[in-house]
């Protein structure tokens, strides 16, 4: 018996277009500014979300640097994964701020 059947409900369907809008809003709330499809902090690229093949893909820098940053790609396919991504990014931003000060 699956967890869904045990609890008697199924989660709402994941809509990547709506999730992208939500992600953009949450990235702005974290203090990032959007320029040319990339979200930045103090002129350093941090994240670049995009729709790819009906899924939400987001690339995040390993460490913010000037020049050519190294990107880590992650595909988000549920609202829970989106929440986890935003939470992880918030922690990284706080850690990077601590190192920058």
């Amino acid at each position: 018996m699956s967890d869904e059947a045990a609890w008697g409900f199924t989660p709402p369907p994941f809509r990547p277009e709506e999730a992208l809008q939500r992600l953009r809003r949450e990235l702005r709330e974290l203090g990032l500014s959007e320029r040319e499809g990339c979200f930045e902090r103090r002129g350093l690229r941090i994240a670049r979300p995009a729709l790819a093949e009906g899924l939400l893909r987001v690339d995040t820098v390993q460490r913010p640097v000037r020049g050519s940053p190294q990107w880590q790609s992650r595909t988000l396919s549920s609202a829970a994964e989106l929440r986890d991504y935003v939470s992880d990014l918030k922690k990284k931003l706080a850690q990077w701020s601590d190192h920058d000060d």
Side-chain angles (χ1 to χ4, degrees), residues 2-52:
S2 73
D3 289 338
E4 294 171 1
W7 288 96
F9 70 92
T10 59
F14 183 71
R15 294 185 178 92
E17 297 83 13
E18 292 175 12
L20 177 61
Q21 294 304 317
R22 178 178 169 201
L23 178 59
R24 285 182 170 151
R25 188 172 43 252
E26 294 201 27
L27 291 174
R28 282 193 226 72
E29 289 174 4
L30 291 176
L32 302 178
S33 56
E34 186 174 11
R35 186 183 338 167
E36 299 175 2
C38 227
F39 283 84
E40 303 176 340
R41 182 176 70 172
R42 299 182 200 146
L44 300 174
R45 291 183 280 174
I46 303 293
R48 51 182 187 200
L51 292 176

